[in-house]
Amino acid sequence: MTSSLRGAAAALLRWGRGAGGGGGLRGPAVRAAGSDSGAGSGGGSAEQLDVLVKKDKVVVFLKGTPEQPQCGFSNAVVQILRLHGVRDYAAYNVLDDPQMRQGIKDYSNWPTIPQVYLNGEFVGGCDILLQMHQNGDLVEELKKLGIHSALLDEKKDQDSK
């Protein structure tokens, strides 16, 4: 990760721990899916992962849960989605299922967690999502999914002042 991305990730993490970052991360529709979602034993097969990544518009494989991420990169992804007001997404805790943890890496041919999928397509990890957030591409990708970014509302509010 470049130093500018690392700095931005650190700022997001500080923001997430600050005002409103602790509790209430999970919106009404965030589904912290785990072993009970059919992804338990043997959850690392390509067929099962294919079903999981295509089941929801936004899918995240992370270490921990949205309300309690277990690594800084997973936390940063959760915070980015939160900034955009994305509440309706499926989150899979790879720490609960070692087969899923390795299987998703093989499935995407991407060596790290977290991993983000939009409309069944692999986007990348924390660094890619952060870059998309910074350059405005994430707003456009969410729009393609029919998801209105909360940052657009924030920009309108600032423009009207």
Side-chain angles (χ1 to χ4, degrees):
M1 188 182 315
T2 67
S3 62
S4 64
L5 285 176
R6 192 173 296 119
L12 265 174
L13 293 174
R14 283 192 302 278
W15 178 87
R17 290 185 188 116
L25 266 182
R26 182 190 289 216
V30 174
R31 291 164 313 288
S35 298
D36 60 329
S37 67
S41 174
S45 77
E47 295 79 20
Q48 288 171 312
L49 290 168
D50 199 48
V51 168
L52 294 179
V53 302
K54 293 178 180 173
K55 191 166 82 170
D56 295 277
K57 288 181 181 181
V58 180
V59 177
V60 182
F61 291 85
L62 58 128
K63 292 179 181 176
T65 62
E67 51 288 316
Q68 197 166 29
Q70 296 297 307
C71 81
F73 297 112
S74 291
N75 186 35
V77 165
V78 169
Q79 294 302 327
I80 291 168
L81 292 174
R82 185 171 180 250
L83 280 171
H84 286 270
V86 179
R87 300 279 186 239
D88 187 18
Y89 68 94
Y92 295 94
N93 181 359
V94 300
L95 298 178
D96 283 346
D97 188 339
Q99 290 177 328
M100 179 186 288
R101 185 177 185 171
Q102 185 56 49
I104 196 63
K105 293 176 184 181
D106 296 339
Y107 178 84
S108 63
N109 198 27
W110 190 262
T112 60
I113 304 293
Q115 293 189 14
V116 179
Y117 291 79
L118 299 178
N119 212 26
E121 296 292 323
F122 177 62
V123 172
C126 176
D127 54 344
I128 304 296
L129 197 68
L130 181 58
Q131 193 172 45
M132 290 174 70
H133 164 69
Q134 290 174 328
N135 67 21
D137 288 348
L138 185 55
V139 170
E140 294 304 313
E141 290 302 316
L142 292 172
K143 192 183 297 183
K144 290 177 188 175
L145 300 177
I147 300 172
H148 180 79
S149 172
L151 292 183
L152 293 175
D153 297 334
E154 193 174 292
K155 185 174 179 344
K156 274 186 201 172
D157 289 346
Q158 288 176 353
D159 290 346
S160 66
K161 289 182 181 178

